[in-house]
């Protein structure tokens, strides 16, 4: 240990953005900086100003609260110091303020209030009350929530910078309350508490096509109460929402909806005050208003602003603003117009034929409308949000310099970065980041722009490993998992396709939710444990995990297979028809049984972790039964899958369903062959995409994984980048090569699911991964790609900053230099040539000689095997370029339709080609590879 070792960070529970905690016993996490030389903690002391507690051992992440539990309203100051194995100690950390953000049992008395006589459904409103403070106060906490969303003010000042709060939860079972310290906003004498409310998710109409309806309620409601702590130490709850409040429906927000957008008339000031409605305006089945619980996830906030990048004049003569980045948020517009002038803003993600492409929005109007005051106005939607890169303003001329896009998302802490020498690859990774930002808005959504924006379980199931690297999303996903567990109880253990369950009629009533979607119940808690070391999330979700697999087992029967049911399968396989995205090459029964075996194993592992030995044995046996049944039913003795498709092989390998080494080797070889036969263009949908690169790498085919990753032809990860994408698309070809939008009904340009490959970039290309839960032990295992000269991954682990980077130096006989930073109180297992198997904390560097690329033999023109042609970039380009000179359509057909197999020759792929063209191709291939 060096004298410089010190506590660099201390936090309570899962949030960095506030001192408030949602539990009486918040867990504590601290990090040690500058602890080089293999620094390991032997023990620590913690103090809350009342007690000092000594702890032995290395544990420093999510440590159980060692003091007496917090009481409602209490504030403690916590410090920690750590002792190294050498015996030396750090200084005490800076103090951490920990505030109880929860209420005592029975303390919540606020009731839902809203407009008593609304003029229309989902009408925004303003509610208010006044109260007196007649003696000095020490502290004032506002606890509030809404059925819908709200913006409270105390004496005319907003109580926080949060937006779209309290967010979306499963309203019949769970509400989240905000806790805000408003002491500085109060004064002795008369005070006013006001809130503007709108329906947002609570009053939205959900469904598809014309089959949409409200689910939860018809009008928004507000709930709030103030707890005052007086200077003499006594407390009182005042201003609770109830009959004493007033409401008005003539405020500046005229109408607002998640899908429709928002209409504001900034001339209006709420003035027609009437007694409030008391009680929720709920629809049947949603009458229950649960007692709110304290927030555990960060709220949605304004994160940054983006200026106009370009102004485009369209073929129709309209003017469109291009912000240069597909994002989620809304515009902020500074304008002076005539009183009553109407400014309308339409939003779109892409242009088509030079105009805004609005068809992908489906039923979402996504329109912001503002009626101006005649003075200097600052306009911004308050209770709606939009997914867009482009915006078209009509009705009033506004200088683009007076317009900016405000980026919204849940205010998580960024924790992961990746960078490589290929600018296209860097842009792909940046697209993944922007896609996560836009779709981690209150809940993990599927898209932020059209009439959907739902918590699709399959999307987050595949993306959660990537998300957990890029951002500290533990609190965010833990909160969402609570809603998932609540919704299960209404579905006999089955997990709805979307959480919250806003599509009650979507799916089968007599069978379990499709595989890979319902498996979010088991996969996401497992990922949070692996990435954050959070055992409590597994404990909290264990019943949900078990109930899900039990529901599947009831549906599947006793064979170990899950077959013959409606499944979504490898959704959006690029070979599927545009409007039939479930028609994948991989049989959906293979997907279902693979996920059943995996989820059973995850439940067994969770049971073992929690000490439920009987369950661990039971579910472990069931997992082995399904694994064995999968192999018997779907894997041939020769190493072929019954669905000879990429996703089928990736599932068998990455879910460890095939354990025999020889059979795994054969499956891996066939997987690589199928990828080659497809021209190294992607052939997987939602299920296979997160697995294929790992499956190739793990079976010894890193070069094939590299070709697949760096492919720019359609479909591929980099094709959208070449088309100017700044987020990940829903479809591989959401925008077709001719510039038109995919004709499929589902065409979003901001979906994160296919960006799950970023996790492979972090773990394999750069080489940074957890070897034990929460990065207590790291794995350093970079696999340099031949086309790259360097790559780096950096991650803020619970123990501090970890990073791995590599670079090539020295030309053709390159040396590879690997540099790794291992944070204090961790160790790392290393897989680098010439490096030790294990290292401790500190900065490490290793050098080794890179393998030389094999010499490519000259190819025999038309007699060359197609596998050799596709594997030799020179031959492949010569073939296509020569054909394009002769017949561009023929060149495209050969590119798309050829099966680039080992036993087929180039001549066979060019049947019916004129002799002179064949001769030119033959010469071109021979010359290019000579």
């Amino acid at each position: 240990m060096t004298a410089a070792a010190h506590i660099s960070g201390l936090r309570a529970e899962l949030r960095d953005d506030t001192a408030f905690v949602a539990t009486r016993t918040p867990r504590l996490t601290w990090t040690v900086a500058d602890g080089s030389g293999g620094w390991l903690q032997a023990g620590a002391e913690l103090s809350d100003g009342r007690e000092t507690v000594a702890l032995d051992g290395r544990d420093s992440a999510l440590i159980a609260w060692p003091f007496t539990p917090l009481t409602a309203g209490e504030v403690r100051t916590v410090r920690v110091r750590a002792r190294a194995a050498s015996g030396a100690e750090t200084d005490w950390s800076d103090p951490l303020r920990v505030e109880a953000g929860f209420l005592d049992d029975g303390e919540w008395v606020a009731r839902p209030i809203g407009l008593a006589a609304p003029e229309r459904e989902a009408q925004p409103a303003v509610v208010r009350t006044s109260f007196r403070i007649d003696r000095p106060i020490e502290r004032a906490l506002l606890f509030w929530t809404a059925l819908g969303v709200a913006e409270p003010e105390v004496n005319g000042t907003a109580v926080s910078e949060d937006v779209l709060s309290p967010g979306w939860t499963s309203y019949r079972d769970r509400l989240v309350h905000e806790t805000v310290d408003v002491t500085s906003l109060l004064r002795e004498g008369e005070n006013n508490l006001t809130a503007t409310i709108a329906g947002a998710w609570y009053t939205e109409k959900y469904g598809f096509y014309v089959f949409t309806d409200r689910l939860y309620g018809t009008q928004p409601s507000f709930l709030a109460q103030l707890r005052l702590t007086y200077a003499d130490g006594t407390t009182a709850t005042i201003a609770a929402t109830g009959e004493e409040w007033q409401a008005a429906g003539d405020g500046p927000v005229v109408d607002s909806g998640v899908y429709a957008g928002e209409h504001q008339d900034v001339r209006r000031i709420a003035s027609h005050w009437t007694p409030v409605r008391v009680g929720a305006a709920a629809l049947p089945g949603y009458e229950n208003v649960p007692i709110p619980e304290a927030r555990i996830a960060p709220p949605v906030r304004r994160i940054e602003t983006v200026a106009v990048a370009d102004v485009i004049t369209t073929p129709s003569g309209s003017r469109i603003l291009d912000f240069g980045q597909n994002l989620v948020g809304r515009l902020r517009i500074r304008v002076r117009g005539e009183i009553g002038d109407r400014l309308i803003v339409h939003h779109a993600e892409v242009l088509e034929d030079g105009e805004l492409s609005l068809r992908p929005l489906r039923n979402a109007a996504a329109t912001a409308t503002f009626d101006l005051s005649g003075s200097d106005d600052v306009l911004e939607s308050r209770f709606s949000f939009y997914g867009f890169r482009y915006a078209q303003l009509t009705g009033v001329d506004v200088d683009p310099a007076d317009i900016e896009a405000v980026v919204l998302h849940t205010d998580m802490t960024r924790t992961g970065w990746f960078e490589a020498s290929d600018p296209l690859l860097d842009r792909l990774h940046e697209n993944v980041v922007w896609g996560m930002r836009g779709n981690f808005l209150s809940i993990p959504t599927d898209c932020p722009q059209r009439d959907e924006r739902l918590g699709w379980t399959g999307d987050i199931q595949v993306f959660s490993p990537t998300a957990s690297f890029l951002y500290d999303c533990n609190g965010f996903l833990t909160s969402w998992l609570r809603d998932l567990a609540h919704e299960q109880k209404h579905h006999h253990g089955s997990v709805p396709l979307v959480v919250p369950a806003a599509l009650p009629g979507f799916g089968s009533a007599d069978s379990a939710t499709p595989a890979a979607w319902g498996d979010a119940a088991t996969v996401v808690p497992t990922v949070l444990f692996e990435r954050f070391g959070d055992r409590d999330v597994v404990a909290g979700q264990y019943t949900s995990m078990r109930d899900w697999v039990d529901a599947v087992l009831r549906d599947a029967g006793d064979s170990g297979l899950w077959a013959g049911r409606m499944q979504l399968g490898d959704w959006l396989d690029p070979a599927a028809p545009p409007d039939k995205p479930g028609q994948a090459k991989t049989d959906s029964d293979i997907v279902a049984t693979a996920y059943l075996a995996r989820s059973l194993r995850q439940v067994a592992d969770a049971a073992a972790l929690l000490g439920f030995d009987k369950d661990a044995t039971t579910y472990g046996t069931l997992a082995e039964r399904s694994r064995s049944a999968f192999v018997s039913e779907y894997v041939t003795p020769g190493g072929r899958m019954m669905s000879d498709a990429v996703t089928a092989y990736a599932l068998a390998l990455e879910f460890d369903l095939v354990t025999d080494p020889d059979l795994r080797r054969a499956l891996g070889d066939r997987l690589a062959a199928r990828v080659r036969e497809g021209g190294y263009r992607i052939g997987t949908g939602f299920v296979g995409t997160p697995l294929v690169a790992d499956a190739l790498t793990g079976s010894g085919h890193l070069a094939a994984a590299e070709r697949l990753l760096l492919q720019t032809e359609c479909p591929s990860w980099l094709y959208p980048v070449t088309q100017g994408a700044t987020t990940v698309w829903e479809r591989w070809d959401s925008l077709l090569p001719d510039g038109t939008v995919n004709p499929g009904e589902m065409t979003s340009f901001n979906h994160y699911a296919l960006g799950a490959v970023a996790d492979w970039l972090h773990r394999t290309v750069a080489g940074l991964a957890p070897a034990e839960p929460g990065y207590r032990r790291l794995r350093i295992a970079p696999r340099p790609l031949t086309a790259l000269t360097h790559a780096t991954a950096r991650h803020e682990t619970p123990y501090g900053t970890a990073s791995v980077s590599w670079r090539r130096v020295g030309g053709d006989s390159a040396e590879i230099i690997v540099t790794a930073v291992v944070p204090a109180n961790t160790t790392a297992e290393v897989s680098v040539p010439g490096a030790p198997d294990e290292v401790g904390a500190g900065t490490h560097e290793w050098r080794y000689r890179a393998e030389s690329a094999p010499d490519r033999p000259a190819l025999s023109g038309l007699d060359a095997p197609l596998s050799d042609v596709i594997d030799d970039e020179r031959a492949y380009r010569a073939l296509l370029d020569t054909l394009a000179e002769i017949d561009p359509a023929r060149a495209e057909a050969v590119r798309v339709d050829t099966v680039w197999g080992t036993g087929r020759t180039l001549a066979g792929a060019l049947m019916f080609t004129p002799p002179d063209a064949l001769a030119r191709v033959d010469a071109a291939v021979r010359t290019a590879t000579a």
Side-chain angles (χ1 to χ4, degrees), residues 629-654:
F630 178 94
V631 175
S632 296
E633 189 77 8
Y634 302 123
V635 185
T636 73
R640 291 286 187 105
M641 296 298 301
M642 297 301 290
S643 282
D644 189 30
V646 170
T647 292
Y649 291 96
L651 285 166
L653 292 168
E654 284 306 297

Side-chain angles (χ1 to χ4, degrees), residues 731-756:
R731 297 175 180 269
W732 296 108
D733 58 350
S734 286
L735 195 69
L736 300 177
D738 64 3
T740 60
V741 174
N742 189 294
E745 183 67 25
M746 298 186 321
T747 304
S748 158
F749 294 87
N750 195 349
H751 257 63
Y752 52 60
L754 299 180

Side-chain angles (χ1 to χ4, degrees), residues 418-431 790:
F418 172 86
E419 185 268 333
S421 56
D422 186 334
L424 293 181
L425 195 57
D426 276 359
R427 183 66 245 189
L428 169 65
H429 192 269
E430 190 68 5
N431 291 359
H790 66 265

Side-chain angles (χ1 to χ4, degrees), residues 703-714:
E706 175 177 351
R707 284 288 304 274
L708 191 66
L709 172 71
L710 299 181
Q711 174 68 265
T712 58
E713 295 179 8
C714 182

